[in-house]
Amino acid sequence: MLIPFLIPFVIAMFLAINMGGSGTAPSFSAAYGSNIIKQSAIPGLFGIMVFLGAIIGGKNTAYTVGKGLIQPELMTFTIVSVILISVALALLIANLFGIPQSTSQATVMAVIGPALYFNSLNTHKLLYEVLPTWFVMPIISFVLAFLIGKYIYKPIRKKGYTISKKLNDHFMFKGGILLMSMYVAFSIGTNNVANASGPIAVMAVNELNISDAYFLQVLILATLIVAPNFGIGSSIFGKKILRNTGKEIVLFGKVEAVIIAFISATLLLSASLIKGIPTSLVQLNVSAIIGIGVAKLGWKNIFFKTEVNRFFIMWIIAPLIAFLVSLLLTWGADSWGMINR
């Protein structure tokens, strides 16, 4: 019993490591690119802020992933393993194409698979809360970045106002960029940790016959297990990812990078705290980047680029893969008698 029970924990920790690696770039690329913080110090600070975000503001999102879309009693170690394996496969495919993908959307779609199979899907939560948030939030991110870029930042630059070297090197300016990096990491903690800790916590309650009254305590324990792996992922993958985001820093500069980070992190934090909706930081971040890019270079130069179109296509395909794999594995597990109903 112990080994099957531990399998979902191992998969969840593996996913957290990968999420931590990918989350390092939107969090600390501006601070690292500006030489404000050493690369060796980033994993620890990133891990701490993710952990604090998960503990302080991650409860609502964990409830949605673990209980809000599917009947909680179905979240056995078999189903949770199916969900997490499906997410891992979807992310692997996206990584092979070099497209940053939303773990949150892949997780939700993986949960929907067994929920549909057992006719236990909370369609109201999905159709009236989750899906609208997925569509609206990136649009808001794009619009805000576009408006700021076109009507505030670009006119200032046209008038010749630039950040002087003295201001650029001022400790308050550098401190602001570092605080923004920590803010993004905190927002990641409030949302992305729940992709693993939510299903794990519900599974533990079911498999160990723990009273539902203690779910919050179990969730905190699951978070204590999952969240530190974000820092480990940052330590393993962060250096390469931070170097790969150097072009983005050069293209946008410090101020624009801070604008992008603030918009995407604030929207992600809002989704976590208000409704507990698992939301894609990647999509919010890329939407803000595109918004700034359109303000600087125009619509045609951005939307007719092949890279942008590939992003949109993979954002649709990867969650669908997670859903189909999860549905297929659930059917297989049920056919082999691995699911008790």
Side-chain angles (χ1 to χ4, degrees):
M1 175 66 184
L2 181 60
I3 293 178
F5 182 74
L6 290 177
I7 289 175
F9 279 92
V10 174
I11 302 172
M13 293 166 68
F14 174 74
L15 279 177
I17 289 173
N18 283 278
M19 286 189 284
S22 62
T24 303
S27 298
F28 281 90
S29 55
Y32 177 71
S34 304
N35 295 318
I36 294 171
I37 185 172
K38 294 181 179 180
Q39 191 276 328
S40 59
I42 290 176
L45 188 56
F46 175 77
I48 290 171
M49 295 310 299
V50 168
F51 175 77
L52 291 175
I55 293 295
I56 296 172
K59 181 182 72 172
N60 291 343
T61 310
Y63 269 82
T64 297
V65 177
K67 292 184 170 188
L69 295 169
I70 188 173
Q71 291 179 8
E73 57 269 20
L74 291 174
M75 297 291 269
T76 61
F77 67 78
T78 300
I79 293 298
V80 171
S81 296
V82 163
I83 290 170
L84 297 178
I85 289 172
S86 302
V87 176
L89 181 60
L91 293 180
L92 174 62
I93 293 173
N95 288 335
L96 290 175
F97 283 92
I99 305 295
Q101 181 58 44
S102 166
T103 310
S104 297
Q105 292 184 356
T107 302
V108 168
M109 295 303 293
V111 171
I112 290 174
L116 280 177
Y117 182 85
F118 292 112
N119 195 29
S120 65
L121 178 63
N122 185 345
T123 54
H124 184 275
K125 185 77 172 180
L126 176 65
L127 297 178
Y128 293 99
E129 295 185 24
V130 176
L131 293 182
T133 301
W134 286 359
F135 284 104
V136 173
M137 282 291 191
I139 294 174
I140 294 175
S141 180
F142 168 82
V143 171
L144 289 175
F146 173 76
L147 293 177
I148 292 173
K150 184 172 184 179
Y151 296 106
I152 299 177
Y153 184 73
K154 192 175 180 180
I156 291 175
R157 292 297 297 270
K158 276 189 174 181
K159 290 181 179 180
Y161 296 117
T162 57
I163 299 176
S164 65
K165 186 179 186 303
K166 183 178 180 180
L167 179 59
N168 197 54
D169 293 335
H170 197 278
F171 75 94
M172 289 191 67
F173 183 72
K174 291 183 175 181
I177 294 177
L178 183 59
L179 286 175
M180 185 57 60
S181 298
M182 295 167 63
Y183 174 57
V184 176
F186 181 88
S187 299
I188 290 173
T190 65
N191 201 277
N192 288 2
V193 174
N195 294 325
S197 64
I200 289 292
V202 179
M203 178 200 71
V205 168
N206 290 336
E207 296 291 349
L208 299 178
N209 295 318
I210 300 173
S211 171
D212 196 57
Y214 295 99
F215 175 75
L216 182 58
Q217 288 86 338
V218 176
L219 176 61
I220 292 174
L221 181 59
T223 301
L224 289 171
I225 296 173
V226 172
N229 291 281
F230 276 72
I232 295 173
S234 178
S235 179
I236 295 173
F237 303 113
K239 188 173 183 179
K240 181 179 179 181
I241 293 172
L242 285 167
R243 285 180 176 176
N244 289 340
T245 56
K247 292 181 180 179
E248 179 182 314
I249 296 298
V250 172
L251 176 63
F252 291 106
K254 296 177 185 177
V255 175
E256 291 158 302
V258 168
I259 292 172
I260 291 167
F262 178 75
I263 291 173
S264 55
T266 300
L267 291 174
L268 184 69
L269 185 62
S270 300
S272 303
L273 299 181
I274 296 174
K275 281 290 187 178
I277 304 299
T279 307
S280 170
L281 175 65
V282 167
Q283 293 182 8
L284 296 176
N285 199 257
V286 171
S287 296
I289 290 172
I290 293 174
I292 290 284
V294 169
K296 291 178 63 177
L297 304 175
W299 295 83
K300 290 184 179 180
N301 290 327
I302 297 297
F303 280 100
F304 284 92
K305 285 188 174 181
T306 304
E307 292 82 0
V308 174
N309 294 329
R310 286 175 64 234
F311 273 38
F312 292 146
I313 292 172
M314 185 54 66
W315 285 351
I316 295 173
I317 292 177
L320 288 177
I321 291 174
F323 165 74
L324 292 173
V325 171
S326 178
L327 186 63
L328 181 63
L329 290 178
T330 301
W331 171 78
D334 190 37
S335 300
W336 283 86
M338 299 172 63
I339 300 175
N340 296 322
R341 288 189 282 172

